[in-house]
Amino acid sequence: MGPCSASLAAAVAAGLLLISGGCVVAQQPPPVAQGLSFDFYKRSCPKAESIVRSFVQDAVRRDVGLAAGLLRLHFHDCFVQGCDASVLLDGSATGPGEKQAPPNLTLRPSAFKAINDIHTRLQRECAAAVVSCSDVLALAARDSVVASGGPSYRVPLGRRDSTSFATQQDVLGGLPPPTATAPALLAVLSKLNLDAADLVALSGGHTIGLGHCTSFEGRLFPRQDPTLNATFAGLLRRTCPAMGTDRRTALDVRTPNKFDNKYYVNLVNREGLFTSDQDLFSNAATRDMVARFAQSQKAFFDQFASSMVKMGQIKVLTGKQGQIRSNCSARNNPAGLLLPWSISILDDQAF
Ligand code: HEM
Ligand SMILES: *[C@@H]1O[C@H](CO)[C@@H](O)[C@H](O)[C@H]1NC(C)=O
Ligand SMILES: *[C@@H]1O[C@H](CO)[C@@H](O)[C@H](O)[C@H]1NC(C)=O
Ligand SMILES: CC(=O)N[C@H]1CO[C@H](CO)[C@@H](O)[C@@H]1O
């Protein structure tokens, strides 16, 4: 058995193939974090993956924008305090939580609702509190990519949900703004053990979905960003005629609802919507990879699949850490802990 057949076996096992010069080589699959596994719910909830998949397929058929909403929700979850479903929590112990921080103002309410609906369905199918909300986020993101025409990949499972809130500071520190340049983005990602290939591929998530004028108006007003394709800038000005316009436009001007490599074709044509997108082509460290993905959808899909598995394992809680929430929007009521309302109940009983 030569090196090609050995790597073929590994590649088939990982579900990732890369044809190169007649020899099939494996795109090195990212390692699976300790405590996670591909068959985590095999016994406790064997239908978990198919339930999420059919829900997402149906829901995206009805509302194509939901796919973008679910993909972005998983990204925001993972970049803030790790993939622990903290993004789903309403409020916090001391005031507004992760959901209420500025970058989250534009997360789609329909995506939060879909996660809760899927989780409720899973609780009905399997025992309560078996499948974590963070695993539902990871699966729903993958199935949204597939439902939009993108690559499939296997998702390691077994994440547990946070018992602690992320603060607004955590959100602002974890999520780079759309005005960030490539070096700034690389710095943010390197803290999460993600590299330049991960940055370029994951940014390709902007091949679907919408952005508000306020996220890129600095490239139009007061002066037009000279790196913006002038024809494209004219188009944007029709949607966003002045600062502060409350409207949205496609992130991918060519194929707004299809998960494909056109995002990179846009960048080559200087039609990236955000500075954080366009600078990937302006910057020498990432430019060649953008050009490669613009040429080869397969190269993009292979790297995207691998980078999503990496992103999906950022600071995961496993084993006895965290909890499995029974309501994705709220932490479980810790048994024996006196909450303000339980004290008042005791008061009523003349405690
Ligand atoms: C690299 C840094 C990133 C920055 C600076 C960034 C920034 C943004 C901004 C500003 C928006 C639009 C918000 C609005 O105006 O409504 C957006 C939307 C979106 N982002 Fe990112 N993003 C980044 C990475 C990612 C990653 C890694 C993914 C997923 C793999 C992703 C997926 C999405 C999707 C799908 C949307 C559209 C959401 C919708 O239509 O509801 N982004 N992003
Ligand atoms: C601007 O966009 C148009 C339309 O996609 C394209 O034909 C043209 O080459 C672009 N210009 C530059 C300088 O990239
Ligand atoms: C889940 O928790 C949220 C936030 O506390 C609450 O508003 C909602 O009613 C809960 N849902 C269910 C089904 O109990
Ligand atoms: C989707 C979501 O929860 N959005 C919230 C973001 O924060 C604002 C301001 O606090 C809330 O009003 C939204 O409901």
Side-chain angles (χ1 to χ4, degrees):
M1 183 154 120
C4 284
S5 40
S7 63
L8 174 60
V12 169
L16 286 164
L17 289 175
L18 192 71
I19 313 289
S20 135
C23 174
V24 181
V25 293
Q27 160 114 358
Q28 197 63 32
V32 173
Q34 179 148 29
L36 300 187
S37 63
F38 292 113
D39 57 1
F40 193 82
Y41 297 113
K42 195 174 168 184
R43 250 171 293 164
S44 58
C45 193
K47 287 199 201 142
E49 289 209 39
S50 62
I51 289 171
V52 179
R53 191 188 318 121
S54 66
F55 185 103
V56 171
Q57 273 174 357
D58 289 352
V60 168
R61 209 172 290 138
R62 273 179 270 119
D63 168 17
V64 71
L66 178 64
L70 287 169
L71 177 58
R72 187 170 183 228
L73 202 50
H74 179 48
F75 156 60
H76 275 222
D77 183 34
C78 292
F79 267 54
V80 180
Q81 189 178 288
C83 314
D84 61 0
S86 55
V87 73
L88 302 177
L89 291 173
D90 281 336
S92 77
T94 52
E98 191 168 338
K99 252 191 191 177
Q100 280 78 28
N104 278 5
L105 299 181
T106 55
L107 290 171
R108 291 194 197 222
S110 61
F112 288 102
K113 184 177 183 309
I115 295 295
N116 278 326
D117 290 349
I118 294 169
H119 195 249
T120 303
R121 197 173 287 189
L122 289 169
Q123 307 223 58
R124 230 181 288 136
E125 179 70 26
C126 309
V130 165
V131 182
S132 68
C133 300
S134 41
D135 277 347
V136 174
L137 280 167
L139 289 171
R142 189 268 313 272
D143 295 336
S144 294
V145 168
V146 173
S148 311
S152 192
Y153 52 90
R154 293 203 295 161
V155 177
L157 298 168
R159 293 167 192 76
R160 292 170 64 85
D161 304 325
S162 73
T163 52
S164 60
F165 290 96
T167 64
Q168 296 207 22
Q169 277 71 20
D170 293 335
V171 178
L172 290 172
L175 292 168
T179 50
T181 59
L185 294 168
L186 286 167
V188 171
L189 268 72
S190 75
K191 285 193 216 141
L192 303 170
N193 285 320
L194 298 174
D195 59 23
D198 297 317
L199 171 61
V200 175
L202 290 173
S203 297
H206 290 174
T207 177
I208 54 173
L210 302 171
H212 285 79
C213 296
T214 47
S215 296
F216 57 86
E217 62 190 9
R219 303 187 71 202
L220 297 174
F221 315 107
R223 267 171 308 281
Q224 202 158 299
D225 180 342
T227 54
L228 255 182
N229 181 313
T231 317
F232 180 56
L235 206 67
L236 294 180
R237 277 170 183 272
R238 270 197 267 158
T239 307
C240 316
M243 286 287 278
T245 305
D246 185 18
R247 289 172 75 184
R248 294 184 296 174
T249 194
L251 301 182
D252 171 2
V253 66
R254 282 190 166 69
T255 50
N257 296 321
K258 189 159 168 39
F259 197 103
D260 57 15
N261 70 333
K262 293 293 188 288
Y263 165 82
Y264 302 98
V265 175
N266 299 336
L267 299 189
V268 171
N269 284 297
R270 301 201 273 123
E271 296 163 319
L273 191 61
F274 306 136
T275 300
S276 60
D277 298 317
Q278 193 58 54
D279 207 47
L280 299 175
F281 190 65
S282 304
N283 193 280
T286 45
R287 178 185 200 118
D288 290 352
M289 212 168 331
V290 170
R292 190 159 69 89
F293 292 166
Q295 296 255 321
S296 166
Q297 178 158 284
K298 181 167 184 356
F300 165 47
F301 279 8
D302 286 344
Q303 183 62 51
F304 184 80
S306 165
S307 296
M308 282 296 283
V309 174
K310 264 171 97 175
M311 183 181 88
Q313 301 187 92
I314 294 173
K315 294 184 221 139
V316 287
L317 303 172
T318 59
K320 291 190 159 62
Q321 297 171 311
Q323 60 182 204
I324 309 293
R325 282 183 214 143
S326 53
N327 173 349
C328 288
S329 305
R331 299 179 294 176
N332 295 342
N333 212 343
L337 187 84
L338 290 181
L339 296 170
W341 52 264
S342 55
I343 291 171
S344 66
I345 290 170
L346 295 173
D347 280 343
D348 289 347
Q349 296 169 339
F351 177 70

